[in-house]
Amino acid sequence: MAKKSVASLQTGSKRLTKAIKMVKSPKTGSYQFVEQVMAPEFVNDFLNKK
């Protein structure tokens, strides 16, 4: 089960989004947070990617 969080950032004229998802590590079984700053149109692809 992955937890999802999305925050909007604005820097100058560019609109960016910081997406954070929680991913289970295959080696240890522990959860890790993966963060990435991107354009808003790429957020769904990032969150759906495994």
Side-chain angles (χ1 to χ4, degrees):
M1 206 164 175
K3 193 173 201 176
K4 302 173 190 176
S5 174
V6 176
S8 293
L9 306 172
Q10 286 191 339
T11 57
S13 63
K14 284 193 171 186
R15 183 169 164 82
L16 299 174
T17 303
K18 181 177 184 179
I20 304 168
K21 68 178 175 179
M22 195 166 72
V23 181
K24 189 171 186 176
S25 172
K27 277 186 173 181
T28 62
S30 64
Y31 286 95
Q32 300 173 342
F33 290 99
V34 178
E35 301 179 12
Q36 193 169 354
V37 177
M38 66 196 82
E41 56 268 10
F42 300 119
V43 172
N44 285 336
D45 294 334
F46 172 74
L47 293 176
N48 292 332
K49 188 172 37 171
K50 293 194 177 200

